[in-house]
Amino acid sequence: MQQLIEQLKAQIAGQIAEAQDTTELSAVHGRFLGKKGEISVLMQGLGKLSKEERPAAGQLINELRDWATEQLGIKESSLAQWELTRRYKQEAIDVTLPGTGREMGGSHPINLVRAELCRVFAGLGFEVVESPEVELVNYCFTALNVPPNHPSRDRQDTFYISEDVALRPHTSPGQIRTMENQKPPIKVVVPGRVFRRDDDASHSPMFHQIEGLVVDKGINLCDLLGLLTTLAKTLFEPDVDVRFRPSYFPFTEPSVEVDVSCFVCSGKGCGLCKGTGWIEILGAGVVNRKVLAGCGIDPDVYSGMAFGAGLERMAMLKYGIGNIQILYDNDLRMIGQF
Ligand code: DAH
């Protein structure tokens, strides 16, 4: 028995020494101290010994069990400590490393101009409304007094979806929709995307406009000129020069086009303004009586003024962007500047 105990002791000591981690160590524990482990089996074998031999053998086995339990315990705590240290090292976070944040862009210049215009007009008592991008041909042209043979109706200029439906080529249909739904006094602006079959250095098939409409008693050309001058000076510089040129639109009479002094040359004449010193920003006029009447508004009682402005033009002027394409490239180096 003594010999057997010594052998087991040596085996246990060897296996404890070899155990690399707590999993291996608990296997050693099972092999010797588990229910069917070698020490337990020895215990169970005691019954087969004679009465005389039993006490001494029992004591030896008990001592072996206590010793093994102690040794396993010592190794267990040193392995556990080591494993914890290793885990801390693996999971350590270097808080001084630079983060993996996302790159920030900025608001797009067109959205900035749109937001600023809406803010200015809201301050002047205008309501900001939306109008469909896919629009009835009737609202795009007919209700705006555009004659059947007008070139803007051409399939080479307008994107038709069917005979009666098109992508709106301007925001002016928003005027008709507003007048059909509201009674005067009316004061609205309609910002949004518009579409034309145009694509070159200074035109894009999709661009943005903002439409304005005021209908009330006694609205006249002077109101329009005053409003647009205020607008230009608020949006650009207070000392910007504003020029009104007589023009023609089917939906207004009289009609004007509005220019502001060129931001590059301050009116001296340069490549951007094609030597004129002026850059056109919008079309406007006194609402044609036929358009009011078509919307059920009595033109003998009410009159109106309207305008339509290109947001790309305004953004380019305001931020000194020389090429319209830059607005559509979505290059973060450009957008990040705003
Ligand atoms: N719809 C015109 C265009 O796209 C711009 C315009 C001119 C709008 C005169 C108006 C207006 O409301 O009165 O060229």
Side-chain angles (χ1 to χ4, degrees):
M1 178 57 77
Q2 183 80 44
Q3 219 186 339
L4 190 62
I5 299 277
E6 288 304 324
Q7 267 178 19
L8 272 177
K9 215 172 173 176
Q11 266 184 37
I12 294 170
Q15 291 191 19
I16 288 178
E18 275 170 24
Q20 300 281 344
D21 55 37
T22 48
T23 318
E24 283 181 31
L25 193 70
S26 81
V28 178
H29 185 281
R31 226 171 287 142
F32 295 99
L33 291 171
K35 253 190 193 157
K36 290 181 180 161
E38 300 210 22
I39 294 177
S40 315
V41 172
L42 267 187
M43 280 290 199
Q44 284 149 22
L46 276 177
K48 289 185 196 137
L49 296 178
S50 67
K51 252 189 185 167
E52 294 73 34
E53 287 171 312
R54 221 176 280 162
Q59 199 188 347
L60 281 177
I61 298 170
N62 276 339
E63 277 170 16
L64 175 66
R65 189 196 54 207
D66 293 346
W67 173 84
T69 308
E70 194 191 348
Q71 295 302 308
L72 280 162
I74 294 168
K75 179 82 181 214
E76 158 86 30
S77 56
S78 84
L79 279 179
Q81 183 61 44
W82 177 77
E83 278 171 12
L84 197 65
T85 314
R86 190 181 55 177
R87 213 183 104 194
Y88 283 160
K89 261 194 202 147
Q90 279 172 349
E91 293 177 5
I93 294 167
D94 182 352
V95 292
T96 65
L97 283 176
T100 50
R102 286 161 192 251
E103 257 189 78
M104 290 287 282
S107 290
H108 194 282
I110 291 177
N111 286 336
L112 286 176
V113 166
R114 176 184 167 144
E116 183 167 358
L117 284 165
C118 289
R119 191 178 55 76
V120 170
F121 280 111
L124 293 169
F126 282 72
E127 187 191 349
V128 180
V129 299
E130 300 266 333
S131 188
E133 289 174 1
V134 179
E135 183 58 282
L136 295 171
V137 170
N138 181 31
Y139 286 8
C140 292
F141 302 116
T142 318
L144 286 162
N145 192 39
V146 178
N149 58 349
H150 194 276
S152 64
R153 289 186 181 248
D154 206 291
R155 277 169 204 286
Q156 282 170 12
D157 289 310
T158 296
F159 291 104
Y160 283 88
I161 286 171
S162 69
E163 214 38 54
D164 307 321
V165 179
L167 298 184
R168 63 176 176 193
H170 51 182
T171 41
S172 302
Q175 291 187 28
I176 307 298
R177 286 189 176 268
T178 304
M179 286 191 278
E180 284 190 351
N181 288 318
Q182 290 185 26
K183 299 246 158 307
I186 291 171
K187 262 173 118 177
V188 293
V189 283
V190 191
R193 291 194 287 183
V194 300
F195 308 86
R196 288 183 200 173
R197 285 182 179 265
D198 252 345
D199 199 5
D200 61 36
S202 55
H203 295 90
S204 149
M206 185 281 299
F207 60 103
H208 300 75
Q209 286 188 335
I210 186 166
E211 191 80 13
L213 174 70
V214 177
V215 183
D216 203 347
K217 287 178 181 155
I219 298 292
N220 60 40
L221 188 66
C222 292
D223 297 314
L224 178 68
L225 304 190
L227 175 71
L228 296 177
T229 307
T230 306
L231 172 67
K233 289 183 182 292
T234 312
L235 189 66
F236 304 110
E237 304 294 315
D239 60 355
V240 74
D241 282 328
V242 185
R243 175 174 86 167
F244 297 89
R245 274 182 292 112
S247 185
Y248 172 77
F249 299 102
F251 28 93
T252 45
E253 181 59 38
S255 305
V256 293
E257 278 179 305
V258 181
D259 302 335
V260 293
S261 46
C262 177
F263 68 92
V264 173
C265 61
S266 316
K268 287 186 203 72
C270 69
L272 189 74
C273 58
K274 301 194 178 86
T276 64
W278 297 97
I279 293 183
E280 183 196 324
I281 56 164
L282 56 83
V286 173
V287 179
N288 193 306
R289 290 172 60 90
K290 286 189 205 162
V291 174
L292 290 178
C295 295
I297 293 172
D298 185 348
D300 290 329
V301 180
Y302 293 102
S303 56
M305 58 184 184
F307 63 88
L311 294 189
E312 276 76 355
R313 268 292 168 84
M314 292 192 158
M316 290 167 73
L317 274 167
K318 190 169 169 64
Y319 298 114
I321 299 167
N323 182 340
I324 193 170
Q325 274 308 320
I326 291 175
L327 291 172
Y328 304 120
D329 286 343
N330 281 336
D331 187 331
L332 280 182
R333 286 171 301 180
M334 187 281 286
I335 298 175
Q337 294 175 36
F338 296 98

